[in-house]
Amino acid sequence: MPYAYGGESVVPMSRSPVRPGSIVQERRLTAVSGEQVAVPDPDRLIHLQFRRFAGCPVCNLHLRSVVRRHEEIEAAGVREVVLFHSPAGELLPHTTDLPFAVVADPDKRLYREFGVESSPRALLAPRAWWPILRAVVSGLREVVRGREHLPSTSPHGGRLGLPADFLVAPDGRVLAATYGEHVYDQWPVDELLRLTAAHTTKPRKPQQHS
């Protein structure tokens, strides 16, 4: 049953979470740029990120780290696809400089399908407090410089979303999955590259001794 927290409706997900070995059905998503994005991608791995609302300072802090190393991520054979539970119109001002696909899911259809939740622990977990403070300070600095925009005071889909990350193979198999325990609990780039290497490096054949 839905419940309210600080005036925000929180609906626990009823579907089982997606786990390594699950199969992602083929689909085409429309990015806010208008680009069509095939998931899974037949030619490379996809890092499917579930983020929060347009202009979320914590999301922006994380995505800036992805942007800085995007060429490295692409060289590893990974395509970034990032979802937000905001309408495309709200996302556009925040995504013009991002070098990867950003998809609007204001009805949270894919969030429900993948079991990505909203919870008060997104903001209340002590481990989230320092990243939140750092993100707010950094975000305000970027707004003053004209590089970012302030988020809505009442973001679509609320402020209690939790992040999630999935690494999806070209055949649709989920190779790795993580459901965040708080707002800044997601794969850093180093972890993404480590997981990618673990699933793409062929094991060495044992040497034969005469």
Side-chain angles (χ1 to χ4, degrees), residues 24-210:
V24 173
Q25 298 301 316
E26 292 183 11
R27 70 199 68 206
R28 285 194 172 271
L29 305 178
T30 302
V32 295
S33 64
E35 176 189 10
Q36 294 295 302
V37 182
V39 178
D41 188 304
D43 300 317
R44 51 188 165 170
L45 302 176
I46 280 185
H47 175 206
L48 194 63
Q49 297 190 44
F50 286 80
R51 309 256 66 88
R52 292 159 26 93
F53 54 88
C56 162
V58 178
C59 303
N60 289 346
L61 182 66
H62 171 64
L63 291 180
R64 283 198 294 271
S65 72
V66 176
V67 170
R68 285 194 296 269
R69 300 180 66 183
H70 187 243
E71 290 185 1
E72 189 178 350
I73 293 169
E74 283 197 318
V78 179
R79 179 175 192 181
E80 291 285 352
V81 179
V82 184
L83 286 92
F84 284 85
H85 56 67
S86 294
E90 288 186 15
L91 277 172
L92 273 172
H94 300 275
T95 61
T96 53
D97 295 331
L98 297 181
F100 39 75
V102 176
V103 176
D105 186 15
D107 298 325
K108 293 189 176 181
R109 180 178 57 85
L110 288 170
Y111 285 75
R112 287 191 295 272
E113 180 178 335
F114 281 77
V116 182
E117 299 179 321
S118 297
S119 170
R121 73 177 184 272
L123 303 178
L124 296 181
R127 288 177 295 169
W129 297 345
W130 170 241
I132 290 173
L133 177 61
R134 189 159 55 97
V136 169
V137 171
S138 174
L140 287 175
R141 185 168 59 243
E142 294 300 306
V143 168
V144 170
R145 293 173 176 173
R147 297 175 181 172
E148 291 184 7
H149 300 266
L150 287 171
S152 168
T153 55
S154 54
H156 187 95
R159 299 178 179 275
L160 300 180
L162 288 163
D165 293 270
F166 304 90
L167 188 63
V168 183
D171 62 3
R173 286 180 303 118
V174 175
L175 302 177
T178 296
Y179 290 87
E181 293 295 324
H182 57 78
V183 66
Y184 202 65
D185 186 14
Q186 71 266 307
W187 292 339
V189 174
D190 283 340
E191 176 66 4
L192 170 64
L193 295 176
R194 185 192 70 79
L195 290 167
T196 299
H199 288 286
T200 57
T201 303
K202 295 181 180 180
R204 296 176 61 185
K205 294 182 179 180
Q207 294 183 353
Q208 303 212 347
H209 300 280
S210 54

